[in-house]
């Protein structure tokens, strides 16, 4: 039954993304960026709604009080990345527009990537690391000044449930360069929507939002280690089954630039 429902949801995404993306391309010529963002997030919200009724996947958010309440307060979100799910759900859940930092190859995905390219996002060429980081700082600073929160996945790619990728310091370096606090987020999406898995499972995805961590005057490596420690510790608290047998394993890796 889960396989049938998963296929149905995949078909629903494919059928809806084409007209929505084409409409976004046309509307991008007429609408300001903030309005176009809301239009595209409405499609993501539709997928979250469909996943609830077709796949039985629900969201639970812990730590709302840790998000800035000042509408002009900037923030950089650094989140665990286990699944595609958080890329749909986070823009729907967050109270402010988000600008994802992602590899430019995603822009080549038919329809979805085309619409993504019309939004105020930060796409980078990973082969040109120095230029990529300069782009992140320049665009990130401008977006943060306009009330857009920048979001990055420090591990760089989706990791299996119960695993930990290498935390790269790009997000911490951006925070230190702009003086903006970082907000760590632990996400248990791998329980319901495993990476590279067609079949999804019903359940609740927990988004745990940590307290803002000041970045002014901090060393990026030290800052990222603090983010990593909180996220990985929170992941073990939220999803202990995934980490069973790892209680005494020291699997920490030093953060690296990226």
């Amino acid at each position: 039954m889960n396989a049938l429902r998963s296929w149905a949801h995949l078909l629903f995404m494919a059928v809806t993304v084409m007209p929505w993306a084409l409409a976004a391309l046309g509307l991008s010529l007429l609408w300001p960026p903030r309005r176009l963002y809301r239009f595209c997030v409405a499609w993501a919200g539709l997928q979250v709604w469909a996943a609830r009724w077709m796949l039985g996947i629900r969201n639970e958010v812990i730590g709302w009080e840790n998000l800035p309440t000042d509408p002009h307060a900037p923030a950089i979100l650094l989140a665990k990345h286990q699944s595609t799910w958080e890329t749909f759900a986070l823009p729907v859940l967050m109270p402010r527009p988000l600008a994802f930092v992602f590899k430019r190859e995603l822009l080549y995905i038919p329809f979805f990537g085309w619409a993504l390219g019309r939004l105020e996002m930060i796409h980078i060429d990973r082969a040109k690391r120095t230029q990529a980081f300069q782009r992140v700082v320049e665009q990130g600073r401008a977006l943060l000044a306009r009330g857009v929160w920048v979001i990055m996945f420090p591990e760089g790619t989706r990791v299996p449930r119960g695993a930990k990728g290498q935390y790269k310091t790009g997000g911490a370096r951006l925070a230190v360069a702009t003086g903006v606090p970082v907000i760590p987020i632990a996400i248990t999406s791998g329980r319901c929507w495993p990476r590279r898995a067609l079949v999804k499972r019903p359940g609740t995805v927990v988004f745990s939002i940590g307290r803002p961590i000041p970045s002014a005057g901090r060393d990026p490596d030290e800052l990222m280690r603090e983010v990593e420690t909180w996220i990985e510790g929170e992941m073990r608290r939220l999803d202990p089954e995934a980490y069973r047998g790892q209680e005494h394993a020291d699997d920490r890796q030093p953060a690296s630039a990226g």
Side-chain angles (χ1 to χ4, degrees):
M1 183 59 71
N2 285 344
L4 181 61
R5 290 177 177 178
S6 298
W7 275 108
H9 186 257
L10 183 62
L11 178 62
F12 181 79
M13 286 196 295
V15 169
T16 55
V17 73
M18 290 186 282
W20 217 291
L22 291 175
L25 291 174
L27 293 171
S28 68
L29 303 176
L30 305 171
W31 285 358
R34 190 68 62 94
R35 188 177 181 186
L36 183 66
Y37 175 86
R38 290 196 297 267
F39 177 80
C40 292
V41 169
W43 176 83
L46 182 63
Q47 307 317 310
V48 171
W49 173 85
R52 178 173 182 176
W53 297 108
M54 298 171 71
L55 302 175
I57 299 178
R58 289 169 169 76
N59 293 315
E60 177 186 353
V61 180
I62 302 171
W64 281 119
E65 68 278 6
N66 293 323
L67 293 176
T69 55
D70 182 344
H72 303 293
I76 296 172
L77 311 183
L78 300 179
K80 185 71 175 177
H81 195 20
Q82 290 186 331
S83 159
T84 303
W85 179 253
E86 47 264 24
T87 62
F88 292 150
L90 280 169
V92 177
L93 294 171
M94 291 295 107
R96 298 275 286 280
L98 301 182
F100 284 82
V101 179
F102 60 88
K103 58 184 180 181
R104 67 175 184 177
E105 286 80 3
L106 293 181
L107 299 175
Y108 306 142
I109 299 176
F111 301 104
F112 177 83
W114 303 342
L116 191 63
R118 307 301 294 181
L119 298 176
E120 289 187 313
M121 303 287 174
I122 306 173
H123 48 88
I124 59 175
D125 183 353
R126 289 183 174 178
K128 302 177 181 178
R129 300 183 65 176
T130 300
Q131 295 92 324
F133 180 68
Q134 291 174 348
R135 180 183 180 91
V136 170
V137 172
E138 291 173 3
Q139 289 190 260
R141 194 189 302 274
L143 290 167
L144 290 165
R146 294 203 294 271
V148 177
W149 289 349
V150 174
I151 179 168
M152 299 177 71
F153 299 115
E155 292 163 291
T157 188
R158 294 167 294 171
V159 298
R161 180 188 178 198
K164 180 178 73 69
Q166 187 177 37
Y167 278 66
K168 301 175 177 63
T169 59
R173 291 164 61 199
L174 172 62
V176 171
T178 57
V180 172
V182 300
I183 299 178
I185 305 178
I187 306 170
T188 63
S189 55
R191 291 193 297 198
C192 302
W193 191 304
R195 70 165 192 162
R196 301 175 184 171
L198 174 63
V199 178
K200 317 305 188 297
R201 297 187 293 266
T204 299
V205 175
V206 180
F207 293 77
S208 181
I209 304 170
R211 294 178 180 178
I213 303 174
S215 66
R218 297 287 301 274
D219 174 74
D221 291 324
E222 178 193 4
L223 177 59
M224 186 53 71
R225 281 195 296 270
E226 185 174 345
V227 170
E228 176 184 349
T229 298
W230 187 90
I231 290 178
E232 294 303 320
E234 185 70 354
M235 289 299 299
R236 283 165 170 75
R237 187 185 73 83
L238 296 173
D239 192 9
E241 291 182 3
Y243 297 91
R244 189 166 295 155
Q246 300 184 32
E247 290 84 358
H248 304 291
D250 183 5
D251 63 342
R252 290 184 301 170
Q253 301 177 24
S256 68

